Amino acid sequence: MRITTSALIRNYKSNLNKSITNLDLARTKVMTKRNFTKGYQDPTGAVRESALNWKYDRNQDYIDAIDDAQSFQDAQEDSITQINKLARQLSKQYGLEAMNGTNWTHDVRKTYAAAFREAQKSMTMSMNASYSDRFVFGGADGGHTPFELKEENGVTKLFYRGLDVNDPANQAKLDEMAGEQVFTDLGFGLTMDGDKVANSSAFNTALPGINVVGYGQDANDTSNNLIVLAGQLADVLEAEDFDTEKYTELLNAFDGGRTRLLDNLTTIGTRTNFLETTKDRLEDQQINLTEQFDNVVNVDMAEAITEFSWAQYAYNAALKIGTNILTPSFIDFMS
């Protein structure tokens, strides 16, 4: 087979170009620390990278949602803790002291009544606590102030989203509000049950305030609302004739309201444990996704540097060979 000079040069140029390309690819890997920078270089890897990026971002969104939900719950817990501390002082200190025979004078009882009045206002403000731009006890309507104390015909009334919490006519509507839910997607496969979110597929962040302080009346027409009871206790204490029986009845109902507060704190604690467990799982998954991404996209630097060194050696060798490619021919010896 006859090998011409032009064929030899053509093959040399082709192989030299391959060496340059290999050197450039190896150099790019070392500089970018990536196995590929263009999709055509590794189509399968590019598809996997895109999928892993999407999973990682979505997983991070769930973690951020958990942090937000936890902060929202922390605001709820802080408010309930404040109210419980105040209610305990009213019940176990002022409430009992006011029943002491030495304190049955009208002027002394008015002093205790003032304490109950101020506590009533403080508890209302605590129930209007907010996180970011949402009221934490607003139920499904977190954009508006949930509780309001109003004076009507000399009687202080408590309203929840415009409804008197003590009015039997509002019972059905208040029952509906008490059952409101606000769901956050935390990666449990959000699904719909008809026109509602399936409870098992999302996390409920709502805690309607009337579930915390109560609403409506019991069989004896005694208010179930802690804030209303504080005002009614003040009314009894301010009266000229102290009704011990009525006062005791209201104070016992007030203690029952404190039990409801503690039940809600327990509920929040359970939810917090759930959020922490879920966050731990998502963070483990985030680590797993990072490792997968590293295996698909990022290079082994030791291997990449070795590959670059070899490519550079091959290129230098190709250049050296180029200086000797034109060997002496028959023409060189003709005289």
Side-chain angles (χ1 to χ4, degrees):
M1 177 180 178
R2 181 170 176 269
I3 300 176
T4 64
T5 300
S6 60
L8 192 63
I9 294 175
R10 186 168 57 251
N11 288 337
Y12 172 75
K13 290 174 63 177
S14 175
N15 291 329
L16 182 62
N17 284 332
K18 289 180 181 179
S19 294
I20 295 174
T21 300
N22 291 336
L23 177 61
D24 182 63
L25 289 174
R27 181 187 295 112
T28 301
K29 282 186 178 182
V30 173
M31 290 190 301
T32 63
K33 301 180 178 64
R34 290 174 55 94
N35 283 317
F36 56 90
T37 55
K38 305 292 183 181
Y40 67 82
Q41 295 172 347
D42 186 354
T44 302
V47 171
R48 290 190 63 192
E49 179 190 9
S50 178
L52 288 170
N53 276 328
W54 179 79
K55 289 180 180 179
Y56 187 93
D57 291 341
R58 183 183 61 172
N59 209 60
Q60 186 60 54
D61 287 341
Y62 293 147
I63 292 175
D64 293 341
I66 287 178
D67 289 337
D68 185 64
Q70 185 59 65
S71 297
F72 192 76
Q73 283 196 172
D74 288 344
Q76 293 173 337
E77 184 176 11
D78 290 344
S79 295
I80 296 175
T81 300
Q82 291 172 5
I83 294 174
N84 181 61
K85 182 179 180 180
L86 182 57
R88 177 179 174 80
Q89 185 180 37
L90 292 175
S91 175
K92 301 305 180 183
Q93 183 179 346
Y94 298 156
L96 296 179
E97 289 177 0
M99 293 181 66
N100 190 311
T102 60
N103 295 325
W104 282 2
T105 64
H106 188 222
D107 288 339
V108 173
R109 283 189 280 109
K110 286 174 65 177
T111 302
Y112 284 108
F116 274 94
R117 295 284 185 207
E118 289 303 314
Q120 189 181 37
K121 296 176 184 177
S122 296
M123 288 190 287
T124 302
M125 287 190 288
S126 293
M127 291 304 298
N128 286 333
S130 63
Y131 168 74
S132 185
D133 58 347
R134 296 174 292 169
F135 289 94
V136 297
F137 296 114
D141 183 14
H144 298 89
T145 306
F147 288 95
E148 183 181 8
L149 279 174
K150 289 183 181 180
E151 191 82 18
E152 292 187 356
N153 300 322
V155 179
T156 301
K157 296 183 178 180
L158 181 69
F159 291 81
Y160 178 73
R161 288 163 57 181
L163 298 178
D164 184 350
V165 300
N166 225 40
D167 189 345
N170 296 328
Q171 186 70 32
K173 183 61 178 178
L174 290 170
D175 285 338
E176 181 181 336
M177 289 180 173
E180 289 177 343
Q181 296 177 307
V182 177
F183 290 105
T184 298
D185 184 12
L186 299 183
F188 296 104
L190 184 67
T191 56
M192 301 298 293
D193 184 6
D195 59 347
K196 297 181 179 179
V197 175
N199 289 351
S200 61
S201 67
F203 180 77
N204 176 33
T205 61
L207 182 57
I210 49 176
N211 288 337
V212 177
V213 292
Y215 63 98
Q217 299 177 337
D218 64 14
N220 298 320
D221 295 329
T222 301
S223 178
N224 293 323
N225 184 273
L226 195 69
I227 299 175
V228 171
L229 286 168
Q232 292 178 345
L233 283 163
D235 291 338
V236 174
L237 288 168
E238 289 172 342
E240 290 287 345
D241 296 323
F242 184 49
D243 188 340
T244 307
E245 183 178 346
K246 181 64 175 178
Y247 182 81
T248 302
E249 177 186 339
L250 291 173
L251 192 60
N252 289 335
F254 191 83
D255 279 336
R258 282 191 59 241
T259 301
R260 186 185 303 109
L261 289 176
L262 296 176
D263 289 343
N264 278 279
L265 282 176
T266 300
T267 298
I268 291 176
T270 301
R271 289 182 176 183
T272 295
N273 290 336
F274 175 79
L275 288 176
E276 289 175 350
T277 301
T278 303
K279 185 176 180 179
D280 288 342
R281 177 181 61 80
L282 289 173
E283 287 178 341
D284 288 342
Q285 188 171 341
Q286 203 78 328
I287 293 173
N288 181 264
L289 289 170
T290 301
E291 291 176 350
Q292 292 183 50
F293 184 90
D294 186 63
N295 292 334
V296 171
V297 176
N298 297 330
V299 299
D300 181 331
M301 286 304 295
E303 182 179 338
I305 292 173
T306 300
E307 182 180 342
F308 171 69
S309 297
W310 174 253
Q312 191 170 43
Y313 173 79
Y315 175 67
N316 290 336
L319 290 177
K320 187 174 182 180
I321 291 174
T323 62
N324 300 318
I325 194 170
L326 294 179
T327 57
S329 67
F330 175 72
I331 301 298
D332 295 319
F333 298 96
M334 292 181 63
S335 58

